[in-house]
């Protein structure tokens, strides 16, 4: 629930940056520090300008020089400054100072907070637009532990001054949201773009923690970033915490498996295991520098015009239980996914897909919005060091197995298909388990919903137990037919 705060005023649905800062300043209980590295003191400046800041700002600082910053916060092991560990070290250090220097007996009602950011703005050559970490550690009750919200942003503007102003507005939105919108994290996330536009910045990772956010699923918060158009891709790990794609994929070999995973079946895991073996056998591919991604498109999560969040969490639960990193993207076309990966690595990439998906790749209708049509898409898809690992399809009507040798594409695409196949860009997954090729997620899901028996054998070991224990995908013991 939200705290009751003093000095509240009637604010419109989307208050201005100044009115947000003023509302915080007029609350006599909220008190904290601002530590900003890399782009001046843009957030603190908004609070100073709005007036009545003396009761809110304990300290505002910018440890801009690296040596001075290290003297205050210590040096990171990797000697980098624009990182999540650096941000959390800043937040913790400033809160500890506040607790040490202010007596709780003298200030029993104070709600302490520390706000910090560490960013790099656009470089002089305008080649790298810059990025940064922003966070707040804060109390909502003097007797409670601290809550924390941490996010990562990528700047889109091409002017350092504009980026500084954007950062300042985002900082105010974060602090305001932490104190006034904490009872509705979805609205809090949405409010980050108040008085900002998607052409100014991208937010591609967020994590909530602390006593007031105990029941917040950070994977669902990732989904909000996509749903609100704040980013095109989010990632979370087996522990359910959100990951920064740029950090996970940086200079890595990447193997991606796209699917619905609704639920994950023996076929999905066979595709994963066999393609992984082929990928790791490639030249230049080291397992220690390889990242495997289970990817789901946003459109795959949408039914009846809206995203089914329960269904999303059910899929995520299973993939996380298998120890996988999961990525959700807005990229319906594979070439856009490869373009995205290429922002972070120049190493070898692989895509694992079934025959049906490969047929769609060679269908011209999916590229009508491109000026160069399918050739432009294929240029973007295959000019990188990329291979497609094709999993066969069993045609039950003719009892034939479809692979890259007998796959039929549109007659106009035949020569293009042959070109990529003959150049080793398409690789068959030959040693698949033919016993399981007729297993489909949609069949399993229908059997679960209809209460039929036998679907358990179609899933990897332990998955059926997880579905039953956590009642995923609409499973109900009472519905099971004896």
């Amino acid at each position: 629930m939200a705290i009751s705060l003093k000095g509240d005023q009637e604010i419109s649905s989307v208050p201005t940056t100044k009115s947000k800062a003023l509302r915080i300043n007029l609350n006599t209980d909220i008190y904290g520090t601002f530590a900003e590295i890399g782009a001046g003191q843009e957030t603190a400046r908004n609070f100073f300008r709005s007036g009545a800041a003396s009761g809110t700002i304990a300290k505002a600082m910018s440890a801009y020089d690296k040596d001075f910053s290290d003297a205050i916060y210590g040096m990171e092991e990797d000697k980098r400054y624009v990182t999540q560990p650096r941000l959390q070290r800043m937040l913790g250090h400033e809160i500890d100072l506040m607790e040490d220097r202010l007596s709780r007996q003298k200030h029993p009602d104070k709600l302490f907070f520390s706000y910090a950011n560490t960013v790099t703005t656009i470089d002089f050559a305008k080649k790298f637009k810059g990025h940064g970490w922003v966070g707040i550690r804060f109390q909502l009750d003097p007797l409670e532990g601290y809550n924390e919200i941490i996010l990562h942003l990528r700047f889109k503007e091409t002017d350092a001054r504009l980026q500084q102003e954007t950062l300042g507005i985002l900082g105010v939105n974060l602090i305001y949201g932490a104190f006034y919108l904490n009872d509705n994290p979805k609205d809090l996330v949405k409010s980050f773009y108040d008085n900002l536009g998607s052409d100014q910045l991208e937010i591609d990772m967020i994590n909530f923690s602390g006593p007031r956010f105990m029941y917040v699923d950070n994977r669902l918060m990732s989904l909000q970033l996509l749903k609100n158009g704040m980013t095109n891709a989010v990632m979370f790990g087996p522990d359910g915490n959100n990951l920064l794609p740029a950090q996970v994929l940086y200079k890595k070999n990447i193997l991606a498996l796209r699917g619905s995973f609704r639920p994950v079946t023996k076929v999905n895991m066979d595709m994963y295991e066999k393609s992984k073996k082929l990928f790791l056998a490639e030249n230049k591919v080291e397992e220690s520098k390889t990242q495997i991604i289970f990817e789901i498109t946003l459109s795959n999560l949408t039914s009846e015009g809206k995203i089914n969040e329960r269904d999303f969490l059910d899929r995520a639960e299973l993939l996380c239980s298998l120890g996988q990193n999961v990525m959700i993207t807005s990229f319906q076309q594979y070439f856009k996914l490869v373009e995205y990966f290429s922002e972070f690595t120049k190493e070898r990439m692989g895509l694992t897909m079934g025959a049906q998906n490969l047929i769609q790749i060679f269908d011209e209708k999916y590229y009508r919005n491109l000026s160069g049509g399918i050739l432009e898409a294929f240029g973007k898809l295959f000019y990188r060091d990329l291979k497609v690992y094709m999993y066969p399809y069993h045609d039950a009507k003719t009892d034939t197995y479809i692979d890259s040798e007998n796959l039929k594409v549109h007659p106009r695409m035949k020569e293009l298909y042959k070109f990529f196949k003959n150049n080793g860009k398409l690789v068959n997954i030959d040693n698949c388990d033919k016993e399981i090729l007729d297993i489909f997620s949609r069949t399993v899901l229908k059997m679960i919903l209809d209460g039929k028996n036998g679907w358990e054998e179609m899933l990897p070991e332990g998955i059926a137990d997880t579905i039953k224990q956590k009642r995923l995908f609409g499973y109900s013991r009472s519905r099971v037919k004896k």
Side-chain angles (χ1 to χ4, degrees), residues 226-278:
L226 268 179
K227 188 177 173 183
N228 296 331
M230 295 177 174
T231 188
N232 289 314
V234 294
M235 183 186 288
F236 49 86
D239 60 359
N241 274 327
N242 295 327
L243 303 170
L244 179 63
Q247 200 167 290
V248 176
L249 303 177
Y250 184 64
K251 290 187 177 180
K252 293 286 179 68
N253 301 295
I254 302 170
L255 177 63
L257 298 86
R258 173 175 287 184
S260 66
F261 309 114
R262 192 181 183 227
V264 59
T265 66
K266 284 183 175 178
V267 171
N268 296 135
M269 294 314 291
D270 196 44
M271 290 175 76
Y272 158 70
E273 287 161 7
K274 300 293 167 46
S275 61
K276 177 184 175 183
K277 190 174 180 180
L278 287 169

Side-chain angles (χ1 to χ4, degrees), residues 109-123:
D109 298 323
K110 288 291 184 188
L111 303 174
F112 292 155
F113 76 89
S114 67
Y115 165 85
N117 65 52
T118 174
V119 305
T120 175
T121 53
I122 193 166
D123 65 336

Side-chain angles (χ1 to χ4, degrees), residues 20-61:
K20 282 188 175 188
L22 182 60
R23 188 179 182 190
I24 292 287
N25 284 347
L26 292 175
N27 186 296
T28 56
D29 290 341
I30 299 174
Y31 191 69
T33 63
F34 295 74
E36 306 183 67
I37 297 178
Q41 295 178 278
E42 296 305 309
T43 304
R45 185 164 63 97
N46 281 307
F47 285 88
F48 282 124
R49 280 186 168 183
S50 68
S54 59
T56 300
I57 300 177
K59 178 182 74 175
M61 64 175 291

